[in-house]
Amino acid sequence: MTERTGESRWSERQRDALLTVVVVLAGVGDAWVKSPNGLLTGAPFAVVVVVSGAVGLALWWRRRAPGVVAAVVMVGYVIAFTPVAMGVAMYTVGERYRRIRTLVLFGVAGCLAGVLSLWAGPPGLDLRYGAFALALILGPLIVGYAVAIRRDLALEAQSTIDALERERHLLVERAQVGERARIARELHDVVAHRVGNIVLTAGALKVGPQARDPAVAEAAELIRDEGHQALEELREVLGVLTPGRRGQAAPAKAPHPDASQLDKLVEGAARLGRRATLRVDGHPETLPAPVQRAIHRIVQEGLTNAAKHAPGAEVGVLVECRMDGVEVRVTNGPAAASRDADSPPSGGNGLIGLAERVALLDGTVTAGPYDGGYRIDAFIPHGPAPANT
């Protein structure tokens, strides 16, 4: 069991029990050290001791019934002059009640009890005793009320801070939703439109007069298939950026890529004139879905990079399932043909996104020149993986 520190070492009940014991001992001890004829009320010694102990015990219920306990303590104060118990009772009243009329009522009643105690006491008591008695009554009452008000203000301030924090989160979330919707519109209006035109052009090329050439027909079919796949994946991304509104059915999602489609990636690269080979050791199709998607994206990015930066180079893809995880390696040799001057520049965002995806799975990605070419090497350890990556 760990040891608690600070105020948590003592519970509220334990503190109340300790306070009750201290007040009882203080009241009984105060009556014990006084001579019988020195008591203010002149009550018998045994009565004073019993009343002092009873008043102290009454404080145990001060949190549950502060008004009743204060009234009992006032009666005991008149009989046995119990200033410590009176101070604790008045402090509790000030801390528990918020209405000024109630506090004034208890203040007047406490002062009346003090006056009665002094009036019933021996002659010769001067104003010092009266001031002392009133200070023990009104002082704790005012302090308790001030402490309660301070605590209420602190709670109200914390509540305001929490409300502002929730509002800030809501505004940030709304801004993010709006930005995602804007990005989705841009993708739909620009990218989807352009890719759609490419698909339509490839379809027209496939059935046009140029289709008499088998090479042209095959190239048109490849372009059309790639365009369709790009549109499907783009629709999936748009579905993530703009989820369906409440009451609307969620759009059908395209199947997530997995490790079983690696051979299609390599075959597609070969159909486009790239030299690519695939070697798979183990059964990556049995791995968790997020890991399979990451493997697919790594191979896809490696093949795309090789086509952009090393045209005509041979590309080797290795997927090796080991006891501690899965390793994916895509290696291409030096370029065998000149790069197309009209090809769009690459900003390296693909590798950055790839590293972020693998990092979510506690894996690592390294990429750089290798033996005159380029190599991407990724390792993903076995273990539980997040559902959305």
Side-chain angles (χ1 to χ4, degrees):
M1 181 181 297
T2 59
E3 183 181 1
R4 297 181 179 179
T5 59
E7 294 183 356
S8 59
R9 291 182 178 179
W10 293 84
S11 65
E12 186 177 86
R13 303 281 291 178
Q14 289 174 329
R15 291 196 297 268
D16 286 347
L18 178 61
L19 178 63
T20 301
V21 172
V22 170
V23 174
V24 170
L25 294 178
V28 174
D30 184 60
W32 185 269
V33 298
K34 292 177 180 178
S35 59
N37 58 359
L39 298 174
L40 293 180
T41 59
F45 173 74
V47 173
V48 173
V49 172
V50 172
V51 172
S52 298
V55 166
L57 289 175
L59 295 177
W60 174 255
W61 292 275
R62 65 189 181 92
R63 298 184 187 274
R64 282 165 283 183
V68 176
V69 171
V72 172
V73 172
M74 290 178 189
V75 175
Y77 185 82
V78 174
I79 298 174
F81 187 66
T82 53
V84 177
M86 176 63 87
V88 174
M90 297 303 287
Y91 175 87
T92 305
V93 168
E95 185 187 22
R96 294 290 172 168
Y97 294 112
R98 297 293 183 274
R99 297 183 61 182
I100 299 298
R101 293 181 180 179
T102 304
L103 296 176
V104 171
L105 177 62
F106 276 100
V108 171
C111 291
L112 180 60
V115 171
L116 290 176
S117 176
L118 295 175
W119 176 76
L125 296 178
D126 54 17
L127 292 178
R128 290 178 300 174
Y129 288 96
F132 175 73
L134 294 179
L136 287 178
I137 295 170
L138 297 180
L141 180 67
I142 296 173
V143 171
Y145 181 71
V147 169
I149 292 299
R150 183 176 181 273
R151 183 172 59 243
D152 291 346
L153 291 176
L155 292 175
E156 184 178 355
Q158 185 61 43
S159 177
T160 303
I161 292 173
D162 293 340
L164 291 175
E165 186 68 17
R166 289 193 297 269
E167 184 177 358
R168 186 184 70 84
H169 282 299
L170 181 60
L171 292 176
V172 170
E173 184 177 355
R174 288 178 178 175
Q176 291 175 344
V177 171
E179 182 65 15
R180 287 197 296 266
R182 186 189 67 80
I183 295 174
R185 288 193 299 269
E186 292 292 334
L187 288 174
H188 179 271
D189 295 342
V190 178
V191 180
H193 175 71
R194 296 295 184 184
V195 175
N197 287 340
I198 293 174
V199 172
L200 293 176
T201 302
L205 182 64
K206 180 181 177 182
V207 298
Q210 300 87 345
R212 297 174 183 176
D213 187 343
V216 174
E218 183 179 2
E221 179 68 20
L222 288 176
I223 295 173
R224 185 170 177 272
D225 291 345
E226 290 291 324
H228 274 300
Q229 182 65 28
L231 286 176
E232 289 294 331
E233 294 182 356
L234 182 59
R235 290 192 187 99
E236 181 182 355
V237 173
L238 294 178
V240 174
L241 292 176
T242 56
R245 295 181 179 178
R246 185 177 300 178
Q248 295 181 353
K253 293 184 178 181
H256 288 294
D258 53 40
S260 63
Q261 302 176 17
L262 297 180
D263 53 347
K264 294 183 179 179
L265 284 177
V266 176
E267 289 175 3
R271 292 171 63 189
L272 293 174
R274 307 169 193 168
R275 295 181 295 166
T277 58
L278 172 65
R279 173 186 166 190
V280 178
D281 293 339
H283 300 279
E285 66 277 2
T286 62
L287 297 173
V291 178
Q292 294 193 49
R293 288 197 292 273
I295 295 173
H296 186 279
R297 296 304 185 193
I298 294 168
V299 175
Q300 186 180 50
E301 180 66 21
L303 293 173
T304 302
N305 278 347
K308 287 182 179 180
H309 305 292
E314 184 176 357
V315 183
V317 178
L318 170 65
V319 179
E320 182 181 6
C321 297
R322 307 198 310 239
M323 294 295 295
D324 56 342
V326 57
E327 182 174 0
V328 184
R329 182 179 301 164
V330 182
T331 308
N332 63 265
S338 59
R339 180 180 176 182
D340 187 1
D342 295 331
S343 62
S346 174
N349 293 324
L351 289 176
I352 295 175
L354 199 63
E356 292 175 351
R357 177 186 294 272
V358 174
L360 291 176
L361 301 171
D362 295 329
T364 58
V365 175
T366 58
Y370 176 77
D371 197 17
Y374 201 81
R375 184 170 79 176
I376 300 175
D377 201 344
F379 177 77
I380 304 174
H382 288 316
N388 297 318
T389 56

